[in-house]
Amino acid sequence: KEIPHIETRWDFTTSTVRDQYSINLYPYPLTLRKAYLDLLQAMNWKSFTILYENNEGIIRLQDLLKCTDEEDESKVIVRQLNPGPGNDYRPLLKEIKVAGARRIILDCSPENIKEILKQAQQVGMMSAYHNYIITSLDLHMVELEDFKYGGTNITAFRLVNPESDLVQQAVREWIQGETMFNRAIPFGGKSIKTETALMYDAALLFANALNALDRSQDIETVNLDCNSEQTWQHGNSLINYMKLVEMTGLTGKVSFDTEGFRSNFKLDIVELRKEGLTQVGTWETGTGANFSRNYTEQYTEIVESLHNKTLVVSTILNDPFLMLKEDSKVLVGNDRYEGYSVDLIYEISNILGFNYTIKLVDDDNYGSYDKKTGKWNGMIGELLEQKADLVLADLTITYEREQGVDFTMPFMNLGVTILYRKPNKKDPNLFSFMSPLSVGVWISIMTAYLAVSLILYTIARLSPFEPPSNNKSFPMESDESGLRLAHQDPLYEAIFTCTGNPVRTVATQAQFETVETTTGTFNAMNSFWFVAASLLGQGVDVLPSAFSTRMIAGLWWFFTLIMISSYTANLAAFLTVERMESPIESAEDLARQQKIKYGAVQGGSTAAFFRDSKITTYAKMWAYMEQNPNVFTKSNREGIERVLKEDGDYAFMMESTNVEYVVERKCELTQIGGLLDSKGYGIGLPPNSPYRTPITSAILQLQEGGKLHLLKEKWWKRMRGGGKCQEKPEGGAAALGWKNVGGIFLVLMVGLSLACVIALIEYMCNRRKIRNRYIYFYLELRKLFWINSSAELQQENSFTSNSIWPGFSTLPICSDERSSE
């Protein structure tokens, strides 16, 4: 019949089955589906739950079902809203709450939106951690007063802007018309439904097209029989005019494609705030979703929503993060607790302006995932069950926990380290003065000493420019026949003359002969003596003269300068510093030995670190712990007590913050090595929590201001017995005892004893030499007297036996002379 057909409803029929004389002012379903998809991408929704009322909702949102991506671990849950008796949606809402749904797409009629949201509020699904996207374009017609102040993020599209001049004018005219005829206003005077606005625009569109067509030709109306084949002659022209017309109506800009679909339109993005529904962006066909507010505005809104809001803080008792006060039994509320966590949440609340209530976790667990039940326990479980708004404790940020909840930036960095009993102090070595140089260096010095001494001796002997020593004359006596007598000897001269002159007989005349011996300056003894004196920094009366020997001496002096300086620099440290003797210094030492046992808390993050580590040393340590399950403990406290009890036979691995706290109070314990890994403690928040960014900013502000450092110093080194094990520096250098310098005295005593022994040996050798000399002289005298006269010889023999042997103590001649004197 070529009669134009104008639609204002959602129509999912395609162009292949569509009448060519039909146009639809309702947004094209394919384009509207793309708008919802763009909105999800702009809000970064990867996992969400779809609640739909009827099959049309599935068709409307079928593009969203294709958003799943196994690589991104995105997950889409689809549930139909099947109300129970009395339109009770609560069983279904409780079910999806237990499943952890926090991002929900709600597709239902506008009449049911308020009831569903109200029941969701009753089951605890209208908190600040829940986000809703309402697919209805009539959310502005729903009474949302009960949900403004809950902090729930409710987002929707809007085709009709109640604040536009056209809509307000149409509403006023409608109210005036209804008032004039005394009829009730069907929409409460606020705004109009999208369907009503579309009908208004449809009438306006028809009027504009008809007016334009009337200018070009005369329009005649005729009666048509539905059963006849007669057509309206102006129908084709009128529908073409309507497809070509572009106008601005109550639903915005109205235009159509060649198929009569409204595929080019604009939607407002609105969110529920304390002031009501507020436009926060727009969506257009060509540009997609664009939010008009910037990051600063969004951050300010979240911070303002925190003002005077009371948050439940889930935590656990663990020194020094959270402890009960000594008088906690007579206190109530937050006043019962003290510790690092209490001070930290106090500082954060002052910055953001919220109130808080400290709550101890029910099961005394930090939070781990049970694969059998698919649930989290501990503080993580309380976050997911909405029993707490945040978790503040020594909770380690791990990949597994990050999959369940959100974390702020770390407020404390740490790592796994080793707790061990402090090694005993090593007694000073009696020969600690030799410690500054190793055994190899001492051997090298002695080798160099011998080599330089021998080279100096050899070069001095070969060099023609090294002068000999001063000539030393040794006078010798000989008789007339040339027989050489002994050297002049004072004792000999005193015995025979008491004047120092040699004795001469009548028959013989003794003559003196001077014998000169010539030796070089650097003989073997002098060479060794010169090199030894230079090494000890002493001077000698023997110095080199030749250029070659001087070069050797200069190089040796330079060598000794460096060695003595290095030795002196290290000597003070080795004499005064008390050294510890520890069997292990690192995790590698622990893994290589079998005597000392080591373990960690069973099922804790430290044990998980060794279990999942790919480093050879740590994997080896985990294999040892698995083979010896008795090395595991149930808690850190048990591990600390075991280290103390087993006295060096057990080492305990735990987080460095706990180790630092313990070693400040238990002086028998110490930390071995550095950190085995790097991680941090963070504040846990429910998934998609809007408070994550403000709290992270507050932590960063405290960190930059040095407040976090001050808090750690307070609770680790001052409060509750902190600083007990700090070694106080002494005012001056420590006095050295016998244990430090006793070896030097021992060397002196041994050296003196050895010198005395050598002196005795020299004395005995010299005495033997003198005795031999006197015997030789006696034999010579006997020979001379025998030749001259046997009588004289007899008298001489009597003299020798009485006076000369032993010791030549007295002589009659000498006695007479002395008596005469």
Side-chain angles (χ1 to χ4, degrees):
K1 302 299 180 180
E2 296 184 7
I3 299 176
H5 178 217
I6 303 176
E7 295 179 307
T8 59
R9 61 181 178 86
W10 180 79
D11 185 7
F12 58 89
T13 56
T14 61
S15 58
T16 56
V17 296
R18 184 178 179 80
D19 187 1
Q20 61 177 340
Y21 292 97
S22 297
I23 60 174
N24 194 341
L25 273 74
Y26 197 89
Y28 186 38
L30 295 180
T31 308
L32 193 58
R33 290 193 324 226
K34 185 178 183 304
Y36 289 122
L37 188 60
D38 291 343
L39 180 61
L40 289 181
Q41 294 176 351
M43 299 176 67
N44 197 26
W45 281 25
K46 295 181 180 180
S47 298
F48 49 88
T49 300
I50 297 177
L51 299 179
Y52 69 96
E53 196 172 41
N54 49 45
N55 294 334
E56 290 184 359
I58 287 294
I59 298 174
R60 191 162 31 242
L61 303 175
Q62 60 180 324
D63 285 354
L64 304 184
L65 302 177
K66 304 175 184 178
C67 293
T68 57
D69 190 349
E70 295 181 357
E71 295 181 358
D72 294 338
E73 297 183 356
S74 58
K75 182 179 180 181
V76 178
I77 300 175
V78 182
R79 300 299 301 272
Q80 186 174 5
L81 290 168
N82 293 321
N87 289 333
D88 187 5
Y89 299 96
R90 284 184 287 268
L92 174 62
L93 295 174
K94 289 180 181 179
E95 184 179 342
I96 64 174
K97 176 188 176 181
V98 173
R102 295 180 182 272
R103 292 174 172 175
I104 302 169
I105 298 177
L106 180 59
D107 185 273
C108 64
S109 61
E111 292 78 12
N112 295 331
I113 292 177
K114 181 179 179 180
E115 183 62 26
I116 294 175
L117 294 180
K118 185 177 180 180
Q119 294 186 24
Q121 188 179 46
Q122 294 172 356
V123 299
M125 292 185 61
M126 291 294 290
S127 65
Y129 315 114
H130 290 86
N131 299 271
Y132 289 84
I133 291 180
I134 310 297
T135 60
S136 173
L137 299 179
D138 283 323
L139 186 61
H140 60 282
M141 298 298 297
V142 179
E143 182 60 47
L144 301 174
E145 186 68 24
D146 297 337
F147 315 112
K148 287 182 180 180
Y149 307 99
T152 309
N153 185 12
I154 299 177
T155 306
F157 280 132
R158 185 178 64 186
L159 191 60
V160 178
N161 185 5
E163 299 177 357
S164 68
D165 296 336
L166 288 177
V167 174
Q168 291 182 358
Q169 181 180 357
V171 170
R172 286 195 299 268
E173 292 177 355
W174 194 348
I175 293 175
Q176 291 176 0
E178 296 297 320
T179 304
M180 184 181 300
F181 293 101
N182 295 323
R183 290 196 295 261
I185 302 174
F187 49 87
K190 293 182 178 180
S191 183
I192 56 177
K193 294 182 180 181
T194 302
E195 183 181 3
T196 305
L198 289 174
M199 294 179 63
Y200 181 92
D201 289 346
L204 185 60
L205 172 66
F206 179 77
N208 290 338
L210 190 61
N211 186 33
L213 181 62
D214 187 54
R215 294 196 202 97
S216 61
Q217 55 182 293
D218 295 332
I219 299 177
E220 297 179 357
T221 59
V222 295
N223 295 324
L224 297 178
D225 186 1
C226 295
N227 295 324
S228 65
E229 296 180 358
Q230 185 180 2
T231 61
W232 187 38
Q233 59 180 346
H234 304 292
N236 193 28
S237 300
L238 183 60
I239 193 66
N240 290 333
Y241 265 101
M242 283 192 287
K243 289 181 180 181
L244 296 175
V245 166
E246 291 187 1
M247 70 171 198
T248 301
L250 300 182
T251 58
K253 181 181 177 181
V254 179
S255 62
F256 303 93
D257 56 17
T258 57
E259 302 296 333
F261 293 113
R262 188 179 179 180
S263 56
N264 188 11
F265 54 90
K266 178 181 177 182
L267 296 174
D268 294 336
I269 303 176
V270 294
E271 286 184 358
L272 180 63
R273 298 182 182 176
K274 294 180 181 179
E275 301 82 12
L277 284 177
T278 305
Q279 181 177 348
V280 295
T282 58
W283 181 91
E284 295 187 54
T285 305
T287 59
N290 295 300
F291 287 89
S292 57
R293 60 181 181 182
N294 54 30
Y295 175 81
T296 303
E297 293 176 351
Q298 186 177 4
Y299 177 80
T300 304
E301 292 173 3
I302 297 174
V303 173
E304 289 178 353
S305 67
L306 272 172
H307 288 170
N308 298 323
K309 188 180 182 66
T310 300
L311 302 180
V312 178
V313 181
S314 179
T315 184
I316 190 171
L317 289 173
N318 186 26
D319 300 349
F321 291 93
L322 188 73
M323 301 171 286
L324 290 172
K325 293 182 179 179
E326 295 179 357
D327 54 349
S328 60
K329 295 182 179 180
V330 298
L331 300 175
V332 294
N334 299 339
D335 296 335
R336 295 179 298 162
Y337 307 104
E338 66 178 358
Y340 181 89
S341 298
V342 177
D343 288 354
L344 179 58
I345 192 62
Y346 174 77
E347 296 293 339
I348 295 175
S349 66
N350 284 343
I351 295 174
L352 300 178
F354 62 85
N355 302 318
Y356 61 90
T357 300
I358 297 176
K359 173 188 177 299
L360 294 179
V361 62
D362 296 333
D363 57 1
D364 290 333
N365 287 317
Y366 285 87
S368 58
Y369 183 73
D370 189 348
K371 295 182 179 180
K372 295 181 179 179
T373 61
K375 294 182 179 181
W376 289 82
N377 63 1
M379 293 180 286
I380 302 296
E382 291 193 350
L383 281 180
L384 297 175
E385 294 173 5
Q386 298 181 22
K387 294 181 179 179
D389 296 299
L390 56 90
V391 168
L392 179 53
D394 50 328
L395 184 67
T396 308
I397 302 174
T398 62
Y399 173 78
E400 185 180 32
R401 289 172 177 166
E402 188 74 42
Q403 304 306 305
V405 298
D406 289 342
F407 283 96
T408 63
M409 68 166 286
F411 59 83
M412 186 178 294
N413 295 314
L414 64 146
V416 174
T417 190
I418 303 172
L419 180 69
Y420 189 61
R421 191 174 183 87
K422 187 176 293 184
N424 298 324
K425 292 182 179 180
K426 183 180 180 182
D427 292 334
N429 188 3
L430 191 62
F431 296 95
S432 58
F433 63 89
M434 300 187 67
S435 300
L437 302 179
S438 64
V439 176
V441 175
W442 283 115
I443 295 175
S444 301
I445 292 176
M446 296 304 299
T447 304
Y449 165 72
L450 295 175
V452 172
S453 300
L454 293 175
I455 292 173
L456 181 62
Y457 169 71
T458 304
I459 297 298
R461 292 291 299 269
L462 296 178
S463 175
F465 300 101
E466 187 64 41
S469 64
N470 297 328
N471 295 335
K472 296 183 179 180
S473 299
F474 300 96
M476 303 292 292
E477 291 182 2
S478 59
D479 58 11
E480 292 179 350
S481 62
L483 182 63
R484 178 173 293 181
L485 302 180
H487 289 289
Q488 291 184 5
D489 187 87
L491 179 61
Y492 169 81
E493 294 170 358
I495 293 174
F496 286 93
T497 67
C498 296
T499 60
N501 297 321
V503 176
R504 294 170 176 80
T505 62
V506 177
T508 61
Q509 292 291 329
Q511 298 180 353
F512 287 98
E513 178 184 356
T514 302
V515 180
E516 295 184 354
T517 59
T518 303
T519 58
T521 302
F522 283 98
N523 54 23
M525 183 63 68
N526 288 345
S527 297
F528 280 94
W529 175 249
F530 173 79
V531 175
S534 301
L535 180 62
L536 298 176
Q538 304 300 319
V540 293
D541 54 354
V542 180
L543 294 174
S545 299
F547 180 78
S548 57
T549 54
R550 287 185 175 184
M551 179 178 290
I552 294 173
L555 292 175
W556 178 249
W557 289 341
F558 176 74
F559 171 80
T560 57
L561 174 66
I562 301 301
M563 294 306 300
I564 292 175
S565 300
S566 302
Y567 175 82
T568 306
N570 291 336
L571 181 61
F574 278 89
L575 290 179
T576 57
V577 176
E578 293 182 341
R579 301 186 176 274
M580 299 292 186
E581 202 171 35
S582 177
I584 56 173
E585 298 292 341
S586 63
E588 288 74 13
D589 295 342
L590 203 59
R592 282 194 294 264
Q593 56 83 45
Q594 297 293 330
K595 180 181 178 182
I596 302 174
K597 300 177 183 179
Y598 49 89
V601 175
Q602 190 168 14
S605 59
T606 302
F609 160 73
F610 285 98
R611 181 194 63 204
D612 301 332
S613 178
K614 304 300 181 183
I615 301 175
T616 306
T617 301
Y618 304 154
K620 182 179 178 181
M621 295 175 70
W622 173 250
Y624 167 81
M625 288 186 279
E626 271 193 322
Q627 294 173 2
N628 301 273
N630 60 329
V631 300
F632 289 106
T633 63
K634 296 180 180 180
S635 64
N636 287 337
R637 189 181 303 274
E638 181 182 344
I640 295 169
E641 293 176 354
R642 186 169 178 180
V643 173
L644 290 171
K645 181 179 179 181
E646 299 196 13
D647 193 18
D649 292 334
Y650 182 77
F652 186 63
M653 269 83 68
M654 65 179 181
E655 293 167 342
S656 58
T657 52
N658 293 328
V659 173
E660 292 171 4
Y661 181 79
V662 170
V663 298
E664 286 287 340
R665 288 152 180 82
K666 296 185 182 297
C667 304
E668 305 88 349
L669 302 179
T670 185
Q671 176 180 330
I672 298 296
L675 303 182
L676 307 185
D677 67 339
S678 179
K679 50 191 174 184
Y681 290 149
I683 298 178
L685 296 164
N688 310 315
S689 173
Y691 307 139
R692 177 179 180 178
T693 302
I695 295 178
T696 296
S697 300
I699 293 173
L700 187 60
Q701 182 177 341
L702 293 174
Q703 181 179 358
E704 292 177 350
K707 192 65 178 179
L708 293 182
H709 176 72
L710 294 177
L711 289 179
K712 187 173 182 181
E713 289 288 322
K714 173 184 176 182
W715 289 105
W716 264 255
K717 297 186 177 182
R718 296 201 304 271
M719 304 297 292
R720 294 288 186 104
K724 175 183 177 182
C725 302
Q726 290 183 354
E727 297 182 359
K728 298 181 180 179
E730 299 181 359
L736 299 179
W738 280 105
K739 292 184 179 179
N740 301 102
V741 297
I744 304 174
F745 285 89
L746 180 61
V747 171
L748 178 61
M749 295 173 61
V750 172
L752 292 175
S753 302
L754 183 62
C756 292
V757 172
I758 294 174
L760 181 61
I761 293 173
E762 289 178 345
Y763 174 77
M764 296 300 295
C765 292
N766 186 56
R767 181 71 178 268
R768 183 180 181 86
K769 184 177 180 182
I770 294 174
R771 178 183 177 184
N772 292 336
R773 185 189 303 170
Y774 288 156
I775 293 174
Y776 173 78
F777 176 66
Y778 163 74
L779 294 176
E780 289 292 331
L781 287 178
R782 183 177 179 182
K783 180 180 180 181
L784 290 175
F785 283 122
W786 179 266
I787 294 173
N788 293 327
S789 172
S790 58
E792 252 178 295
L793 183 59
Q794 182 68 30
Q795 183 181 358
E796 186 68 16
N797 289 336
S798 176
F799 167 76
T800 304
S801 60
N802 295 329
S803 303
I804 296 179
W805 184 262
F808 301 96
S809 60
T810 58
L811 283 175
I813 299 175
C814 186
S815 300
D816 295 340
E817 291 178 356
R818 287 179 180 177
S819 62
S820 64
E821 291 176 358

